[in-house]
Amino acid sequence: MADEQRPNESAEESLLKDIQDDYSYFRDYWEDNYKEAQTDLAFVAGDPWSPTQRREREDLDRPVICPDELGQYLNAAINNIRQNQRAIKVTPAGEGADDKNAELRSSLIKGIEYKSNAQAAYTNGFEGAINCGFGFFRVTTRRTGKDNEVEPRIKIIENPLSVLMDPNAKEADFSDMKRCFVMDTMRQRDFGRAYPKAKKRDFTDADGLAAPGWVTKQNVLVAEYWRIDGYDPETGEGGKVTQYITNGLEILDKTEWPGSRIPIISVLGKKIYVPQGDQMRRMFYSMVRLARPCQKMLAYIASQEAEEYGMAPRAPIMGYVGQFETDSEAWQTLNKVPRSYVQIDPQVDGAGGQTLPLPSRLPFTPNYAAYEAGYERWRRSLQAAMGITALPTAAQRQNEKSGVALEKIQTQQAIGSFHFTDNFDRSLENCGRQIDELITKVMDTERQVAIRNADESHSLMNVVPGGQPSTQQEPDAKVLDPQAGEFDVTISTGPSYQSQREEATEFADMLVRELKNLPIAPPQQAKLLSMAIKLKSLGPRGDEMAKIIDPPQEDGQQMPPQAQQALQQLQQHNQALNAACQTLEKQLGQLHFEKTAKVVESQAKLQQIAAQSQADMALEDKKLQTQIAVAEIETKAQILSEREAALRDLESQWHSQAHDVATQAMEQQHAAQMQQQQGQQQQDMAAQQADSQSQQSAQDAAQSQAQQEAQAQQQPAQGE
């Protein structure tokens, strides 16, 4: 809800009071974070010494050294984002949205990123989170084209400490901010030229009292003040977003923003709640924060080691005056810096009358071994504080790092900084949603825009609100209706830059080796060879070679008729080959199916044979065991009773055989009788057939005689 206007105040005075109150509250809330961030940036810049320490050591001519151990790990995390660039991907979410329109919106956003140089803005924001815990970039708009058409853009925010976020925001990416400051400090003399329409262009001490923190003796703070009015916290629906430009004393400019969110995108470090008194203060840690004590110890050790090396004596030769005169020219040559000898006047002991011995120095050797051990210990502690697994000393030597070892090192570094990467992806999602919303709201007139496709190629697309173009478009032209459908945004990560290049190189090498074996015509082989050269990224000379092998076709240039005819024949031949290949694939599939069925049937038969064989073997085993048992019984049948039983068995067998013989004789007699009966039946049937034949013959003879008599009677009648 908008702040209410105070009594006896104008609307602008009430707004300025709100701005001053918000600025004081925001500045106090983030003060500890920003102080720690400034210290982080000093360490990143290679200066861990406080101004007092540096001045005291320099006054005593003591070394002030800071070996850079942080930079390599910070650069590894930041360059990982540079090489593995993210992409904003649009997906359909409803209201008639489909995959085709989602792909077109994705290509449009990629074109906006390309024209905005968005990767620089993204990387700068991520670098701020890594180095000091905060990073920012912004979504804005720009008028372009001959008709001053409005398009979304992405812009860098250089100074990570120039933004004051809303302390009341709850989302992890601060996308729900209701207030925000983007600050810019300028000299008072430059303010009047930058804002000639300002009511006050010269400032006094009274102005500094009226707007604390805004006006100083030489500078004036000019800030963007973003606020959302009319926001409903219950429904979560945003109201009107407004940008005010102010110096704390007056409103210099006012702009209505078409989006529903404040377009300041936050890229944040690791969030930790730290107790302060009876409250918990929200802190954002950089990758440097916990490694600062380790880096400072390394600076102490290196400075102390350098100081002790400087204290090591040169140990010149000492002698009495006159002892070096015998070969003075040689001694003079040796006496150049550092001095090779020192002449001392002899001193005589007054009591003993003896010459005192030459003065001597205590021996001193720098304790470099202890310093090296301490340095290595704190270097490993620094790695652990940054989330990087410490490596064995041998693996740190470049000549002992294999490709696998380097890949593991990079993986460990990526895992150690993954919470920063995760926050960065969340920020890109916020950016993508705001740009997708602006596409619908500000691209409300028909236009033609440049897009960047998924394969990184460029093309043109017609933006047609409502989907009905006022002019005739090409049949295959890409057309986007920005008002159709609802969409969501996700972030996709491309392959590693190094691995992508290695895979492209390996593929190009394989393609060149197998090019002559491909079933294609020479023109297509030349084109593929040209593309393989481009994949190798050989530079201008490689591009020239690719052009010679496959010259680019100029606009309007047509192929010769013979080439066109040959190309058509090749295409027809290719189609025939494809059809033959499809038929062959079907036949091979059928044969494979039949072969599989035969194999299954053969396996079933083999299993059946094996089962029958096992059953037969078991039966034979039982027969063999029975025969063995019978043999044992026969062997043991020695007593009379056993013999009598055997005799009775034999008699029973004889009786059975006699019965079988009698039965067989009876069967033979019965068979003879049956045969005799069959013979008698056959004779009777033959007699019956003979009688039938004789009767038929008699009838035939009678009929023949009757016919002859009739003919004889007819002949006399004819003669008369």
Side-chain angles (χ1 to χ4, degrees), residues 376-598:
E376 179 63 18
R377 171 201 168 191
W378 283 101
R379 189 191 65 80
R380 291 177 179 268
S381 298
L382 181 143
Q383 287 181 334
M386 300 183 76
I388 300 170
T389 303
L391 301 171
T393 304
Q396 295 165 5
R397 304 190 188 112
Q398 184 66 30
N399 57 353
E400 294 187 16
K401 286 182 182 177
S402 64
V404 176
L406 288 173
E407 185 176 355
K408 290 183 177 179
I409 294 171
Q410 294 172 357
T411 302
Q412 289 292 341
Q413 292 175 348
I415 293 174
S417 61
F418 183 75
H419 46 288
F420 294 95
T421 305
D422 187 47
N423 288 344
F424 176 66
D425 291 345
R426 195 176 291 111
S427 301
L428 289 186
E429 288 183 7
N430 182 21
C431 174
R433 291 190 178 94
Q434 295 203 32
I435 294 178
D436 181 66
E437 182 185 22
L438 289 179
I439 289 174
T440 302
K441 291 187 175 182
V442 305
M443 302 186 74
D444 54 355
T445 58
E446 186 174 347
R447 68 191 71 179
Q448 193 174 62
V449 297
I451 63 174
R452 192 172 177 87
N453 301 309
D455 59 355
E456 303 302 328
S457 63
H458 294 270
S459 61
L460 294 176
M461 182 176 67
N462 297 308
V463 177
V464 183
Q468 297 296 330
S470 58
T471 58
Q472 186 176 1
Q473 304 290 346
E474 298 180 3
D476 56 346
K478 296 180 179 179
V479 178
L480 172 67
D481 181 4
Q483 300 173 356
E486 291 185 0
F487 300 87
D488 201 358
V489 169
T490 60
I491 302 301
S492 62
T493 304
S496 171
Y497 174 78
Q498 185 63 29
S499 64
Q500 190 177 23
R501 289 204 59 181
E502 290 176 355
E503 291 177 2
T505 300
E506 291 178 0
F507 176 76
D509 294 339
M510 182 273 293
L511 181 63
V512 172
R513 289 195 304 268
E514 302 296 332
L515 192 60
K516 61 182 179 180
N517 299 326
L518 296 178
I520 56 177
Q524 282 75 24
Q525 290 183 355
K527 195 171 188 64
L528 287 177
L529 180 58
S530 173
M531 296 175 67
I533 293 174
K534 292 179 181 178
L535 274 178
K536 298 286 286 184
S537 299
L538 302 178
R541 295 297 180 93
D543 295 340
E544 190 66 25
M545 293 170 60
K547 289 181 181 179
I548 295 174
I549 296 173
D550 182 32
Q553 187 173 352
E554 299 179 358
D555 295 339
Q557 181 179 359
Q558 297 182 353
M559 295 178 62
Q562 296 178 353
Q564 291 181 357
Q565 184 178 2
L567 181 59
Q568 291 178 356
Q569 292 177 355
L570 287 173
Q571 291 176 349
Q572 294 174 357
H573 182 62
N574 189 24
Q575 292 176 357
L577 286 176
N578 291 333
C581 289
Q582 293 177 358
T583 303
L584 183 60
E585 288 178 356
K586 292 181 180 179
Q587 294 176 354
L588 289 175
Q590 182 66 23
L591 290 174
H592 178 72
F593 175 77
E594 293 176 357
K595 178 182 177 182
T596 304
K598 291 291 185 181

Side-chain angles (χ1 to χ4, degrees), residues 29 63 152 195 208 255 318 327 417 517 529 583 588 598 649 654:
Y29 185 91
Y195 297 94
T255 304
M318 293 182 292
D327 195 357
S417 61
N517 299 326
L529 180 58
T583 303
L588 289 175
K598 291 291 185 181
D649 291 341
W654 288 343

Side-chain angles (χ1 to χ4, degrees), residues 513-689:
R513 289 195 304 268
E514 302 296 332
L515 192 60
K516 61 182 179 180
N517 299 326
L518 296 178
I520 56 177
Q524 282 75 24
Q525 290 183 355
K527 195 171 188 64
L528 287 177
L529 180 58
S530 173
M531 296 175 67
I533 293 174
K534 292 179 181 178
L535 274 178
K536 298 286 286 184
S537 299
L538 302 178
R541 295 297 180 93
D543 295 340
E544 190 66 25
M545 293 170 60
K547 289 181 181 179
I548 295 174
I549 296 173
D550 182 32
Q553 187 173 352
E554 299 179 358
D555 295 339
Q557 181 179 359
Q558 297 182 353
M559 295 178 62
Q562 296 178 353
Q564 291 181 357
Q565 184 178 2
L567 181 59
Q568 291 178 356
Q569 292 177 355
L570 287 173
Q571 291 176 349
Q572 294 174 357
H573 182 62
N574 189 24
Q575 292 176 357
L577 286 176
N578 291 333
C581 289
Q582 293 177 358
T583 303
L584 183 60
E585 288 178 356
K586 292 181 180 179
Q587 294 176 354
L588 289 175
Q590 182 66 23
L591 290 174
H592 178 72
F593 175 77
E594 293 176 357
K595 178 182 177 182
T596 304
K598 291 291 185 181
V599 170
V600 173
E601 183 180 358
S602 299
Q603 290 177 351
K605 289 182 177 180
L606 289 174
Q607 292 176 356
Q608 184 178 3
I609 293 172
Q612 184 65 34
S613 176
Q614 291 179 357
D616 294 342
M617 291 177 64
L619 181 61
E620 292 296 331
D621 290 341
K622 290 181 180 180
K623 290 181 178 179
L624 180 60
Q625 292 175 1
T626 303
Q627 292 176 359
I628 293 173
V630 170
E632 290 179 352
I633 293 172
E634 290 176 353
T635 303
K636 293 179 181 179
Q638 300 297 328
I639 60 176
L640 182 61
S641 60
E642 292 177 347
R643 292 181 180 178
E644 290 177 351
L647 181 60
R648 286 194 298 271
D649 291 341
L650 184 59
E651 291 176 352
S652 176
Q653 184 177 2
W654 288 343
H655 287 298
S656 177
Q657 290 178 355
H659 181 269
D660 292 340
V661 170
T663 303
Q664 186 176 4
M666 291 175 66
E667 289 178 353
Q668 291 177 355
Q669 183 179 1
H670 178 71
Q673 292 177 354
M674 292 297 294
Q675 186 175 4
Q676 184 178 2
Q677 290 178 359
Q678 291 178 357
Q680 185 64 35
Q681 290 177 355
Q682 290 177 357
Q683 291 176 0
D684 294 341
M685 290 177 65
Q688 291 177 359
Q689 290 178 357

